Amino acid sequence: MTDEPTGWPPQSQPQTPPRTPQPSQPQAQPQPPGRTGPDPEGLSRFVERFASELVEAGLPRMPARVFAALMASEQGQLTAAELGEQLQVSPAAISGAIRYLSQVSLISREREPGSRRERYRLHDDQWYISFSRRNEVLIRWENTLRTGIQALGTDSPAGQRLEETRDFFEFLRQEMATMLDRWIEHRERRRRNEDAAGGAAGPAGGAAG
């Protein structure tokens, strides 16, 4: 017998006052037990959602989809055929996206040993490299702004505006360099902790078996 009224037989179900509906609370999605591989539908949803976020940030749509697919791949590398099959697009679309991503140094090409087929892979330390290269852009902007400041002078409103912009970029570049150094320290510390946790779990797991 259950506590809910619906657990009673119809002929003996007691009369209870109707319950006041309670607002539903969002529930965490449970993970299916024993899953060892990726969820194809969930993977597809992630790729499209991440690609949309990249498009919002300014990346063209097809390069964004290819980049997201590579990010979600097991080894961080796929062939053009694999990308086309996963994204359901033409070889020409993949080729254009690969060309764009290569030009902006987000991916690299490598040939499979003994084959003419190329694989496209993400760089190691992908985000570190990407943000490190922003410093080069900021330096160029600073130098260009200096020429404008020299032409206008710092006693004019326009010259002061350019000077403050140059100062902002210089500040951002210096802080970003410090932040990237801290990221390296953080990553190494996290990896050491993971290795230590894995080593501690090994003997315990063997004893339990």
Side-chain angles (χ1 to χ4, degrees):
M1 182 180 300
T2 64
D3 294 334
E4 296 291 335
T6 53
W8 293 80
Q11 64 273 19
S12 58
Q13 182 172 336
Q15 298 297 317
T16 57
R19 294 184 177 184
T20 302
Q22 298 295 323
S24 60
Q25 298 295 326
Q27 300 294 324
Q29 294 296 324
Q31 293 294 327
R35 172 182 291 166
T36 57
D39 170 18
E41 293 185 2
L43 175 60
S44 179
R45 286 194 299 270
F46 164 76
V47 167
E48 296 305 324
R49 181 172 180 179
F50 188 36
S52 296
E53 298 290 346
L54 294 172
V55 170
E56 288 290 331
L59 202 65
R61 178 157 182 76
M62 187 52 60
R65 294 184 70 205
V66 168
F67 184 80
L70 287 169
M71 282 286 293
S73 65
E74 192 68 21
Q75 301 298 326
Q77 55 182 309
L78 293 168
T79 65
E82 289 169 339
L83 285 165
E85 180 180 1
Q86 179 176 338
L87 301 176
Q88 294 295 294
V89 295
S90 68
I94 295 296
S95 177
I98 290 297
R99 184 165 54 252
Y100 177 91
L101 293 171
S102 298
Q103 288 173 349
V104 297
S105 301
L106 285 176
I107 66 171
S108 60
R109 305 167 183 244
E110 60 183 28
R111 186 154 309 211
E112 293 183 346
S115 171
R116 298 179 59 186
R117 189 169 61 173
E118 289 184 327
R119 300 189 72 84
Y120 307 102
R121 62 185 297 273
L122 300 173
H123 298 295
D124 295 332
D125 293 328
Q126 175 67 54
W127 299 112
Y128 177 87
I129 293 173
S130 296
F131 278 88
S132 295
R133 287 174 175 161
R134 298 288 179 90
N135 282 352
E136 300 172 6
V137 175
L138 291 174
I139 290 174
R140 292 200 301 268
W141 289 359
E142 289 173 44
N143 291 336
T144 301
L145 285 164
R146 285 192 182 94
T147 63
I149 294 167
Q150 291 171 359
L152 293 168
T154 56
D155 54 349
S156 68
Q160 292 171 5
R161 186 182 311 116
L162 295 187
E163 173 62 27
E164 183 170 329
T165 302
R166 186 211 59 78
D167 190 43
F168 171 77
F169 288 144
E170 182 181 26
F171 174 83
L172 184 62
R173 175 171 55 83
Q174 294 171 347
E175 290 298 309
M176 187 177 295
T178 301
M179 180 184 65
L180 291 173
D181 289 340
R182 289 174 55 200
W183 157 248
I184 293 295
E185 296 173 0
H186 170 80
R187 183 189 63 183
E188 294 305 315
R189 184 167 57 251
R190 178 172 58 84
R191 289 178 176 177
R192 287 195 301 268
N193 292 340
E194 289 175 351
D195 291 342

